[in-house]
Amino acid sequence: MGKNKLSKFAELNTYEHVVQISYKKLLAGEFRYKGKWAEAFFGNSNPVILELGCGKGEYTVKLASHFPEYNFIGLDIKGARMWVGATQAMELGLKNVGFLRTNIENIRLFFAAKEVSEIWLTFPDPQMKKTRKRMTATNFIESYRHIMVPDGIIHLKSDSNFMYCYTEAMVAENGFEMIRKTDDLYHSDLLDEVLSTQTYYERQWLDRGLSIKYLAFKLSHQIELREPDIEIEKDEYRSFGRQGKE
Ligand SMILES: C[S@@+](CC[C@H](N)C(=O)[O-])C[C@H]1O[C@@H](n2cnc3c(N)ncnc32)[C@H](O)[C@@H]1O
């Protein structure tokens, strides 16, 4: 029988590679790993890569196994999901994996300027009605830009045509450099061992026959960010029960 949420939370508290800190404590003092994740948390000087909204952390674990010369941190607010990836990383003996339980909106409290080299966004809710909650909206990009090195790379994997088109428009509007993109990953030559890793949500969308989109772009620090002013067709299938569950 699977563990219940309470026992997962209890276990998570004992994991040395999982960071959870109350907002009150966070505001009371400087977070001890801010600006020092590589040296103080991982004990090396390797670049730091984040998976935001990591859920069960499939990408964090896969990327860490594949790229031992980088450090990976999966970030999510939901502890029971994170427990899955955190437990797996421990069982695999991975030393370049951490998990951080917090809201993405807080990332500037946890990471110093230019501390992060890449960000993965794996199946974020497209937030079709609320631009400011969308994980590639200008307010989020501004935070990412702050904590990222110049030319830092953002990867987005999504079932959502809306999220894909919106992010494409964001990249174009702000003159970011698109590195790779496909609106049908599993029928494209971009598919490789890393990108064929399927997340929990991805498997559900694939079961429903949806094509998976992927894009990667480089941030530029120079310009003032602008929201794209375009109408994007909404994802019809999201009105049937899934939207709003997060
Ligand atoms: C649709 S799920 C995708 C999870 C996982 N990446 C996957 O593909 O299976 C979105 C995840 O983002 C997390 N999330 C959404 N908004 C968040 C926020 N503001 N801060 C932290 N996590 C958030 C949710 O808890 C959830 O685990």
Side-chain angles (χ1 to χ4, degrees):
M1 200 171 83
K3 282 180 194 288
N4 66 26
K5 268 193 186 178
L6 287 179
S7 54
K8 286 179 185 171
F9 292 153
E11 245 177 61
L12 216 54
N13 276 326
T14 68
Y15 288 179
E16 284 182 359
H17 61 307
V18 175
V19 174
Q20 309 182 71
I21 175 170
S22 72
Y23 197 60
K24 205 171 149 196
K25 277 194 184 158
L26 187 61
L27 290 182
E30 185 87 343
F31 174 61
R32 68 178 163 142
Y33 297 125
K34 185 175 176 179
K36 305 182 193 109
W37 277 95
E39 291 75 12
F41 185 80
F42 292 105
N44 59 40
S45 56
N46 295 338
V48 172
I49 298 180
L50 307 182
E51 182 188 6
L52 301 182
C54 68
K56 299 184 180 189
E58 290 91 341
Y59 268 80
T60 300
V61 172
K62 177 67 179 195
L63 288 161
S65 318
H66 208 73
F67 300 108
E69 68 284 11
Y70 290 85
N71 299 315
F72 294 90
I73 301 170
L75 186 153
D76 204 290
I77 195 60
K78 298 210 172 154
R81 290 180 184 176
M82 176 176 290
W83 173 88
V84 177
T87 303
Q88 208 184 358
M90 201 171 60
E91 287 170 357
L92 290 170
L94 296 171
K95 300 291 177 225
N96 58 336
V97 173
F99 283 91
L100 172 60
R101 189 170 173 200
T102 189
N103 275 306
I104 296 159
E105 287 79 352
N106 294 337
I107 48 173
R108 287 171 74 146
L109 297 173
F110 287 94
F111 298 93
K114 302 191 175 79
E115 190 168 17
V116 170
S117 61
E118 293 183 33
I119 288 179
W120 283 76
L121 304 171
T122 48
F123 296 85
D125 190 309
Q127 299 287 353
M128 292 186 287
K129 290 186 183 151
K130 302 169 208 149
T131 309
R132 286 187 63 78
K133 288 192 148 198
R134 213 170 288 153
M135 281 175 60
T136 52
T138 45
N139 47 311
F140 279 101
I141 299 273
E142 194 64 69
S143 290
Y144 305 157
R145 233 174 27 161
H146 179 77
I147 63 167
M148 287 181 91
V149 296
D151 285 344
I153 297 174
I154 299 195
H155 305 258
L156 169 71
K157 203 177 177 198
S158 179
D159 56 287
S160 164
N161 191 55
F162 180 90
M163 186 72 182
Y164 179 73
C165 291
Y166 170 78
T167 308
E168 248 190 328
M170 169 65 74
V171 169
E173 178 72 35
N174 291 289
F176 298 144
E177 182 189 344
M178 187 71 85
I179 308 171
R180 288 185 289 275
K181 67 169 180 167
T182 173
D183 62 3
D184 191 357
L185 178 66
Y186 290 98
H187 294 102
S188 90
D189 55 12
L190 292 184
L191 196 64
D192 59 16
E193 196 191 328
V194 167
L195 284 176
S196 54
T197 303
Q198 291 177 2
T199 72
Y200 177 73
Y201 273 80
E202 177 173 2
R203 282 192 293 276
Q204 297 188 34
W205 296 122
L206 282 168
D207 285 348
R208 292 176 65 173
L210 291 162
S211 64
I212 300 302
K213 289 93 180 142
Y214 167 74
L215 60 77
F217 62 97
K218 255 187 209 173
L219 282 183
S220 143
H221 279 59
Q222 313 309 338
I223 43 126
E224 195 171 320
L225 294 177
R226 286 192 309 253
E227 269 299 326
D229 182 19
I230 53 159
E231 276 292 311
I232 307 172
E233 196 182 331
K234 301 267 196 300
D235 301 325
E236 276 290 316
Y237 60 92
R238 283 189 175 264
S239 15
F240 301 107
R242 288 216 144 265
Q243 174 84 333
K245 280 201 166 174
E246 283 312 316

